[in-house]
Amino acid sequence: AITALEEVKGLPGVGIAYFDEEMRQRQHTEHILLESMEGAIEDRQFTVHFQPKHDLATDTTGGAEALVRWIHPELGFINPGLFITLFERNGLITKLDMYVWEEACKQIKRCKDEGLPVVPISVNASRLDFDVPDLADQLASMADEYGVERSLLHVELTETAYSDSPQLVTEALKKLREHGFLIELDDFGSGYSSLVSLNALPLDVMKLDMSMIRQATALNDFRIIQSTVKLAQILGLKTVVEGVEDAAEVEKL
């Protein structure tokens, strides 16, 4: 592991690598997490939280996004940016994603059983999920097992996942839509192939990256967001704007 690399004077190609305590601690933590990942899924150490999506037209909660959190018995709260990256690296991310899908189904069933309002829940799909040949069949069986309408489950993907394997992802999304699931494109506006993705993918919802609302607020210029929403309307897509934090932004939207 290297924090800095300096070439030794007079010796081209010979360098000095610096290793510090922070890096040692990070490697130690990653080792513990890698060793305990599979057991953590079996022991249900992961919890799923639901971030609401507010519907400006009706002033009600119109949906939610499932967010997974890991409370490790020894290390405590683990940053999702750390453990999700590790899961993707060792191939366990699909197993974790299915865990989250099931928790979303359980939550919708609980609301229905208790007579509470039911809203669609979106779940992030990693790039490796689309390598599963029968992904659509598996999710359909799970939804049916819990008595959940498939339209209440949204598959959320990033442009990065699409750009890595566009043909594979597109075919998988078509099967998911044929089974009744809805598709959301996440982080729109943060990548480089946004317009290409919109034209090629079978989509139902466009989620604008929070960087767009941040910039619009800072510049007091909402023309880009306005144009993007109009584009979505032309394509027949619903829109979600991430990162809205105050009444002034709500009023602009």
Side-chain angles (χ1 to χ4, degrees):
I2 297 172
T3 56
L5 184 65
E6 295 180 1
E7 188 174 276
V8 178
K9 290 183 179 180
L11 297 173
V14 178
I16 301 173
Y18 296 89
F19 185 83
D20 58 24
E21 176 60 24
E22 182 181 346
M23 295 188 69
R24 189 199 69 80
Q25 184 59 46
R26 185 167 69 246
Q27 286 190 339
H28 176 66
T29 299
E30 289 187 2
H31 176 73
I32 294 176
L33 296 180
L34 287 169
E35 289 291 315
S36 57
M37 277 182 176
E38 198 142 12
I41 295 178
E42 301 299 329
D43 296 339
R44 308 194 74 80
Q45 293 176 13
F46 296 92
T47 59
V48 178
H49 298 252
F50 298 92
Q51 179 172 286
K53 299 177 183 177
H54 193 76
D55 189 331
L56 293 183
T58 62
D59 197 27
T60 60
T61 298
E65 179 180 357
L67 303 173
V68 64
R69 297 292 181 260
W70 187 4
I71 308 299
H72 193 277
E74 297 176 27
L75 302 175
F77 176 81
I78 307 299
N79 189 311
L82 173 60
F83 74 78
I84 289 176
T85 299
L86 291 175
F87 269 64
E88 289 175 337
R89 190 186 307 166
N90 70 5
L92 279 174
I93 189 65
T94 296
K95 193 169 184 179
L96 178 62
D97 286 347
M98 297 303 288
Y99 177 100
V100 177
W101 276 107
E102 186 169 15
E103 290 300 308
C105 288
K106 288 180 179 179
Q107 177 69 11
I108 294 174
K109 183 180 186 301
R110 183 185 72 83
C111 289
K112 293 175 68 174
D113 291 346
E114 296 181 13
L116 299 172
V118 175
V119 297
I121 293 178
S122 59
V123 179
N124 290 287
S126 77
R127 161 63 191 82
L128 294 179
D129 292 346
F130 297 106
D131 288 334
V132 179
D134 60 345
L135 176 64
D137 292 331
Q138 285 192 40
L139 294 183
S141 296
M142 185 184 299
D144 295 347
E145 178 184 349
Y146 286 95
V148 173
E149 295 88 339
R150 300 173 190 178
S151 60
L152 290 174
L153 296 171
H154 294 195
V155 181
E156 192 170 304
L157 80 152
T158 62
E159 289 179 312
T160 302
Y162 165 73
S163 59
D164 285 347
S165 300
Q167 184 173 353
L168 176 69
V169 172
T170 301
E171 290 303 314
L173 293 179
K174 287 180 179 179
K175 290 181 181 178
L176 286 163
R177 284 190 92 203
E178 289 171 0
H179 281 66
F181 300 100
L182 273 66
I183 311 299
E184 297 189 14
L185 180 63
D186 195 14
D187 298 336
F188 181 83
S190 64
Y192 297 101
S193 59
S194 301
L195 296 178
V196 175
S197 302
L198 287 179
N199 196 41
L201 290 169
L203 300 173
D204 299 286
V205 180
M206 177 203 296
K207 292 183 66 178
L208 279 63
D209 187 72
M210 68 174 63
S211 62
M212 296 184 69
I213 193 77
R214 295 283 184 274
Q215 183 186 65
T217 301
L219 299 176
N220 193 27
D221 186 348
F222 281 72
R223 288 178 298 173
I224 296 296
I225 289 183
Q226 182 182 32
S227 300
T228 305
V229 171
K230 286 185 177 179
L231 172 62
Q233 291 172 341
I234 291 172
L235 295 172
L237 306 177
K238 292 185 177 181
T239 53
V240 176
V241 181
E242 298 178 322
V244 180
E245 294 184 344
D246 58 45
E249 292 175 341
V250 172
E251 184 62 28
K252 287 285 188 180
L253 292 171

